Amino acid sequence: MSVLEVHQFECLSDNYGFLVHDPDSGSTACVDTPDAQPTLSALEEKGWSLTQIWNTHWHPDHTGGNLELQKKTGCEILGPRNESERVPGIEMELGEGSTFDFGAHPVRVFDVPGHTAGHIAYWLPDDSIAFVGDTLFALGCGRLFEGTAEQMWNSLGKLAALPPETVVYCAHEYTQANAQLALSVDPGNGDLVARARKIDEMRAQGIATVPTTVEVELATNPFLRADVPAFQRAIGMEGADPVEVFAETRKRKDSF
Ligand code: ZN
Ligand code: FE
């Protein structure tokens, strides 16, 4: 079984588009469709034909290109069951526990509500990669538009429980701004301080900070650390319920 190739490209102002290609079956999926045209250009550049769209949630910067791509390529659209009425052209509805094969590569789906009510994430266990949309960001997490802090904490917990080496593809380049908030709440975290410095260097050179890994996020992302005593101490909430610590961290980011 060949290794999957993931091609990442910039879309809109700060979204990433992803093409996932299986050389054995010739299948190509794009994860979300911020914009049809850059996706078509990326397909042409790689010489791949689109067979599937994997939507993570209904927001227009994730589904806006669905219909045009479907019309131009005849691809099949897979997306979240719990908000399917808001996903243009959806044909296969997925939710917690859904599995399908991409060529010979198994794909597993999690419900990760919080940013939107029906948000899903895609995990490819044999390939150690996950596509998490706007749920988990490098050093951040999605805004709570349609869910509670408790839902989001549980959703992030599912991603945090993936093997540490899992490569995590987030949908936006928000890392540098996220790092500022993270440093403000967890200034004594040496791993975070070192990472923030590296992120500044990368962005100064225009290098993408996505993907990341579960291991790196567990060590440095404040939104995954609400149950870690050192982080609770840093934010002045030692011994508090992790949901409350998470909610307070999210609140600080909202007004940062
Ligand atoms: Zn979104
Ligand atoms: Fe988004």
Side-chain angles (χ1 to χ4, degrees), residues 3 12 19 31-32 35 39 43 51 55-56 67 81 94 108 113 117 124 134 136 140 159-160 197 222-223 229 238 251:
V3 174
L12 305 177
L19 296 177
V31 183
D32 288 330
D35 197 358
T39 308
L43 285 161
T51 48
N55 286 129
T56 61
L67 295 181
R81 172 196 295 155
L94 305 170
R108 290 170 60 175
L124 287 80
D134 287 358
L136 176 62
L159 303 175
R197 205 175 298 131
F223 298 98
E238 198 170 2
K251 210 171 87 194

Short mmCIF file of all heavy atoms in Angstrom, two decimals, residues 3 12 19 31-32 35 39 43 51 55-56 67 81 94 108 113 117 124 134 136 140 159-160 197 222-223 229 238 251:
data_model
loop_
_atom_site.label_atom_id
_atom_site.label_comp_id
_atom_site.label_asym_id
_atom_site.label_seq_id
_atom_site.Cartn_x
_atom_site.Cartn_y
_atom_site.Cartn_z
N VAL A 3 1.99 5.24 0.24
CA VAL A 3 1.72 6.34 1.17
C VAL A 3 0.82 7.36 0.48
O VAL A 3 0.98 7.65 -0.70
CB VAL A 3 3.06 6.99 1.58
CG1 VAL A 3 2.85 8.23 2.42
CG2 VAL A 3 3.93 5.97 2.31
N LEU A 12 -8.60 31.72 -0.11
CA LEU A 12 -9.22 32.88 0.55
C LEU A 12 -8.13 33.62 1.34
O LEU A 12 -6.97 33.62 0.95
CB LEU A 12 -10.39 32.45 1.44
CG LEU A 12 -11.49 31.63 0.72
CD1 LEU A 12 -12.57 31.20 1.70
CD2 LEU A 12 -12.11 32.42 -0.43
N LEU A 19 -5.59 18.55 -0.76
CA LEU A 19 -5.90 17.44 -1.64
C LEU A 19 -5.23 16.21 -1.07
O LEU A 19 -4.05 16.27 -0.68
CB LEU A 19 -5.37 17.68 -3.05
CG LEU A 19 -5.94 18.87 -3.84
CD1 LEU A 19 -5.23 18.96 -5.19
CD2 LEU A 19 -7.44 18.71 -4.04
N VAL A 31 -10.33 18.17 1.08
CA VAL A 31 -10.93 18.36 2.39
C VAL A 31 -11.42 19.80 2.46
O VAL A 31 -10.62 20.74 2.43
CB VAL A 31 -9.91 18.09 3.51
CG1 VAL A 31 -10.61 18.22 4.87
CG2 VAL A 31 -9.31 16.72 3.36
N ASP A 32 -12.73 19.97 2.49
CA ASP A 32 -13.39 21.27 2.44
C ASP A 32 -13.10 21.98 1.10
O ASP A 32 -12.19 21.62 0.36
CB ASP A 32 -13.03 22.15 3.64
CG ASP A 32 -13.69 21.65 4.92
OD1 ASP A 32 -14.78 21.06 4.83
OD2 ASP A 32 -13.12 21.85 6.01
N ASP A 35 -12.75 27.51 -1.84
CA ASP A 35 -12.85 28.24 -3.09
C ASP A 35 -12.59 27.24 -4.22
O ASP A 35 -11.61 26.50 -4.17
CB ASP A 35 -11.77 29.34 -3.08
CG ASP A 35 -12.03 30.42 -4.11
OD1 ASP A 35 -13.02 30.31 -4.86
OD2 ASP A 35 -11.22 31.37 -4.16
N THR A 39 -8.70 25.23 -6.01
CA THR A 39 -8.74 23.78 -5.90
C THR A 39 -8.56 23.14 -7.27
O THR A 39 -7.78 22.20 -7.44
CB THR A 39 -10.07 23.32 -5.26
OG1 THR A 39 -10.27 24.05 -4.04
CG2 THR A 39 -10.07 21.83 -4.97
N LEU A 43 -5.47 20.81 -8.55
CA LEU A 43 -5.69 19.50 -9.18
C LEU A 43 -4.93 19.41 -10.51
O LEU A 43 -4.29 18.40 -10.81
CB LEU A 43 -7.19 19.27 -9.42
CG LEU A 43 -8.02 18.95 -8.17
CD1 LEU A 43 -9.50 19.21 -8.43
CD2 LEU A 43 -7.80 17.50 -7.73
N THR A 51 -12.16 12.92 -6.92
CA THR A 51 -13.20 11.90 -6.80
C THR A 51 -14.14 12.15 -5.63
O THR A 51 -15.29 11.74 -5.66
CB THR A 51 -12.58 10.48 -6.68
OG1 THR A 51 -11.55 10.50 -5.67
CG2 THR A 51 -11.96 10.05 -7.99
N ASN A 55 -16.28 17.26 3.55
CA ASN A 55 -16.57 18.49 4.29
C ASN A 55 -16.50 18.25 5.79
O ASN A 55 -16.96 17.21 6.29
CB ASN A 55 -17.97 19.02 3.95
CG ASN A 55 -18.06 19.65 2.56
OD1 ASN A 55 -18.95 19.31 1.78
ND2 ASN A 55 -17.16 20.56 2.26
N THR A 56 -15.96 19.23 6.51
CA THR A 56 -15.91 19.12 7.98
C THR A 56 -17.08 19.82 8.65
O THR A 56 -17.54 19.40 9.70
CB THR A 56 -14.61 19.73 8.54
OG1 THR A 56 -14.55 21.13 8.21
CG2 THR A 56 -13.38 19.01 7.99
N LEU A 67 -20.47 22.99 -5.01
CA LEU A 67 -21.31 22.75 -6.19
C LEU A 67 -20.53 22.91 -7.49
O LEU A 67 -20.71 22.12 -8.42
CB LEU A 67 -22.54 23.66 -6.15
CG LEU A 67 -23.51 23.37 -4.99
CD1 LEU A 67 -24.72 24.30 -5.04
CD2 LEU A 67 -23.96 21.90 -4.96
N ARG A 81 -23.48 14.61 8.89
CA ARG A 81 -24.88 14.20 8.99
C ARG A 81 -25.71 15.20 9.80
O ARG A 81 -26.82 15.53 9.44
CB ARG A 81 -24.88 12.83 9.68
CG ARG A 81 -26.21 12.24 10.07
CD ARG A 81 -25.97 11.11 11.08
NE ARG A 81 -25.23 10.01 10.47
CZ ARG A 81 -24.47 9.15 11.15
NH1 ARG A 81 -24.34 9.25 12.47
NH2 ARG A 81 -23.85 8.20 10.52
N LEU A 94 -22.11 11.58 7.15
CA LEU A 94 -21.20 10.92 8.08
C LEU A 94 -21.35 11.49 9.48
O LEU A 94 -21.67 12.66 9.66
CB LEU A 94 -19.75 11.16 7.63
CG LEU A 94 -19.38 10.77 6.20
CD1 LEU A 94 -17.99 11.30 5.86
CD2 LEU A 94 -19.44 9.25 6.04
N ARG A 108 -11.86 7.10 9.46
CA ARG A 108 -12.82 7.07 10.57
C ARG A 108 -13.27 8.48 10.90
O ARG A 108 -12.49 9.42 10.83
CB ARG A 108 -12.20 6.39 11.79
CG ARG A 108 -12.02 4.89 11.54
CD ARG A 108 -11.19 4.23 12.61
NE ARG A 108 -11.78 4.35 13.93
CZ ARG A 108 -11.28 3.75 15.00
NH1 ARG A 108 -10.19 3.02 14.92
NH2 ARG A 108 -11.86 3.91 16.18
N PRO A 113 -18.58 18.45 17.84
CA PRO A 113 -19.39 19.67 17.91
C PRO A 113 -18.76 20.73 18.80
O PRO A 113 -17.98 20.42 19.69
CB PRO A 113 -20.71 19.17 18.51
CG PRO A 113 -20.35 17.97 19.32
CD PRO A 113 -19.21 17.31 18.55
N ALA A 117 -22.64 22.86 15.27
CA ALA A 117 -23.33 21.79 16.00
C ALA A 117 -23.03 20.41 15.42
O ALA A 117 -23.10 19.41 16.13
CB ALA A 117 -24.83 22.04 16.00
N LEU A 124 -7.35 9.11 9.56
CA LEU A 124 -6.87 7.98 8.75
C LEU A 124 -5.82 7.25 9.58
O LEU A 124 -4.63 7.61 9.57
CB LEU A 124 -6.28 8.49 7.42
CG LEU A 124 -7.33 9.00 6.41
CD1 LEU A 124 -7.79 10.41 6.73
CD2 LEU A 124 -6.80 8.93 4.99
N ASP A 134 -12.26 23.35 11.67
CA ASP A 134 -12.12 24.48 12.59
C ASP A 134 -12.32 24.05 14.04
O ASP A 134 -12.79 24.83 14.87
CB ASP A 134 -13.13 25.58 12.24
CG ASP A 134 -12.79 26.33 10.97
OD1 ASP A 134 -11.75 26.04 10.36
OD2 ASP A 134 -13.59 27.20 10.58
N LEU A 136 -9.75 22.04 16.03
CA LEU A 136 -8.44 22.24 16.65
C LEU A 136 -7.56 23.02 15.69
O LEU A 136 -7.47 22.67 14.51
CB LEU A 136 -7.80 20.87 16.94
CG LEU A 136 -6.38 20.85 17.51
CD1 LEU A 136 -6.31 21.53 18.87
CD2 LEU A 136 -5.87 19.41 17.60
N GLY A 140 -4.53 26.70 19.05
CA GLY A 140 -5.84 27.29 19.28
C GLY A 140 -6.97 26.29 19.10
O GLY A 140 -6.74 25.07 18.96
N LEU A 159 -9.67 14.32 19.83
CA LEU A 159 -8.49 14.56 18.99
C LEU A 159 -7.21 14.40 19.80
O LEU A 159 -6.22 13.83 19.33
CB LEU A 159 -8.57 15.95 18.34
CG LEU A 159 -9.84 16.19 17.51
CD1 LEU A 159 -9.89 17.62 17.01
CD2 LEU A 159 -9.94 15.19 16.36
N ALA A 160 -7.25 14.85 21.05
CA ALA A 160 -6.08 14.73 21.93
C ALA A 160 -5.75 13.28 22.22
O ALA A 160 -4.61 12.95 22.55
CB ALA A 160 -6.34 15.48 23.24
N ARG A 197 8.58 31.24 19.24
CA ARG A 197 9.72 31.87 18.56
C ARG A 197 9.89 31.28 17.16
O ARG A 197 10.09 31.98 16.17
CB ARG A 197 10.98 31.64 19.42
CG ARG A 197 12.06 32.67 19.19
CD ARG A 197 13.26 32.47 20.13
NE ARG A 197 12.93 32.62 21.54
CZ ARG A 197 13.28 31.76 22.51
NH1 ARG A 197 13.97 30.67 22.22
NH2 ARG A 197 12.96 31.99 23.77
N PRO A 222 -2.99 25.77 24.78
CA PRO A 222 -3.70 25.96 26.05
C PRO A 222 -5.08 25.30 26.07
O PRO A 222 -5.54 24.88 27.14
CB PRO A 222 -3.81 27.48 26.18
CG PRO A 222 -3.58 28.03 24.81
CD PRO A 222 -2.68 27.05 24.12
N PHE A 223 -5.70 25.19 24.90
CA PHE A 223 -7.05 24.62 24.86
C PHE A 223 -7.07 23.11 25.06
O PHE A 223 -8.13 22.53 25.28
CB PHE A 223 -7.74 25.00 23.54
CG PHE A 223 -7.89 26.49 23.41
CD1 PHE A 223 -7.00 27.23 22.67
CD2 PHE A 223 -8.92 27.15 24.08
CE1 PHE A 223 -7.11 28.61 22.57
CE2 PHE A 223 -9.03 28.53 23.99
CZ PHE A 223 -8.14 29.26 23.24
N PRO A 229 -2.36 20.26 35.65
CA PRO A 229 -2.16 21.10 36.84
C PRO A 229 -1.28 22.33 36.60
O PRO A 229 -1.61 23.42 37.09
CB PRO A 229 -1.52 20.13 37.84
CG PRO A 229 -2.03 18.79 37.43
CD PRO A 229 -2.15 18.83 35.94
N GLU A 238 -6.28 26.47 39.85
CA GLU A 238 -5.81 25.14 40.26
C GLU A 238 -6.94 24.32 40.87
O GLU A 238 -7.68 24.82 41.73
CB GLU A 238 -4.66 25.28 41.26
CG GLU A 238 -3.88 24.01 41.37
CD GLU A 238 -2.59 24.18 42.17
OE1 GLU A 238 -2.32 25.28 42.68
OE2 GLU A 238 -1.86 23.18 42.28
N LYS A 251 -12.75 32.25 26.65
CA LYS A 251 -13.26 33.60 26.87
C LYS A 251 -12.15 34.65 26.69
O LYS A 251 -12.34 35.69 26.09
CB LYS A 251 -13.86 33.70 28.28
CG LYS A 251 -15.00 34.68 28.41
CD LYS A 251 -15.68 34.57 29.76
CE LYS A 251 -14.99 35.44 30.80
NZ LYS A 251 -15.41 35.12 32.18
#
